[in-house]
Amino acid sequence: MTTQSEQHAEAAGARRGLTQVTSLDSLLGAHPDALRQIYGAGKPADPAELGDAPRGRLLALQPTAGVHLATRPLMKALASRWMPWKGNEFDHGGNSGTNLVFGSKVWRFKAQLLPSELDGAPTLALTYGERAFGNPWPVSALKDELRTVAPGVALGPMLLKWQDRWHHVLWFGLTRVDPQ
């Protein structure tokens, strides 16, 4: 049985609805709680829908959620053109790839469907811990998750495994870039 305040909160949430995602740039500066809600409504990303080299954006730092309005200008500056991370490149077949940093391919990952560390639902997980990849720590302790939230747009958390627990570090996104 639900309480009256729970029913009120549920009705308010239903009236608000989810934010309609129009582009990756429309998510820049969004509050981490809003990003989590949008991510929760997404479906596991398909690398084929993102293309061979989707452009990436840093969207929000999870640990600053409590002071989001104060850190929002910093996040927008970090996500600007001078951000060294430019996105990902998926290998043919989409089951592995690399990050694009300063124009170089670095930090190999394995891509596979796994349960999300945030909500247990299926997600495309990019894991960096394979010994054969030779990724240094802390990269080898990272896990990225991606869900499609609009055509050609995927959103997800970056997590760091520390002391046998996953810690949510930030929100990022990828968007398809069609050849000119």
Side-chain angles (χ1 to χ4, degrees), residues 35 57-63 75 83 85 118 143-144 156-160 167-173:
L35 294 170
R57 282 272 205 228
L58 173 63
L59 301 173
L61 294 173
Q62 185 63 33
M75 287 310 306
M83 177 68 177
W85 177 71
L118 296 187
K143 179 180 184 181
D144 298 333
M158 182 182 85
L159 304 131
L160 172 69
H167 300 272
H168 186 176
V169 178
L170 59 82
W171 288 97
F172 75 102

Side-chain angles (χ1 to χ4, degrees), residues 13-32:
R15 282 193 303 271
R16 259 183 306 188
L18 285 175
T19 301
Q20 181 67 36
V21 177
T22 57
S23 69
L24 182 59
D25 290 341
S26 71
L27 296 173
L28 186 57
H31 193 280

Side-chain angles (χ1 to χ4, degrees), residues 25-90:
D25 290 341
S26 71
L27 296 173
L28 186 57
H31 193 280
D33 292 345
L35 294 170
R36 185 180 186 120
Q37 184 180 18
I38 294 166
Y39 172 78
K43 64 176 184 153
D46 178 352
E49 291 177 12
L50 293 171
D52 292 336
R55 180 177 57 88
R57 282 272 205 228
L58 173 63
L59 301 173
L61 294 173
Q62 185 63 33
T64 65
V67 291
H68 178 70
L69 289 178
T71 60
R72 190 174 180 183
L74 173 65
M75 287 310 306
K76 286 188 172 189
L78 286 174
S80 72
R81 296 189 199 283
W82 56 265
M83 177 68 177
W85 177 71
K86 300 299 181 191
N88 292 81
E89 185 169 287
F90 289 96

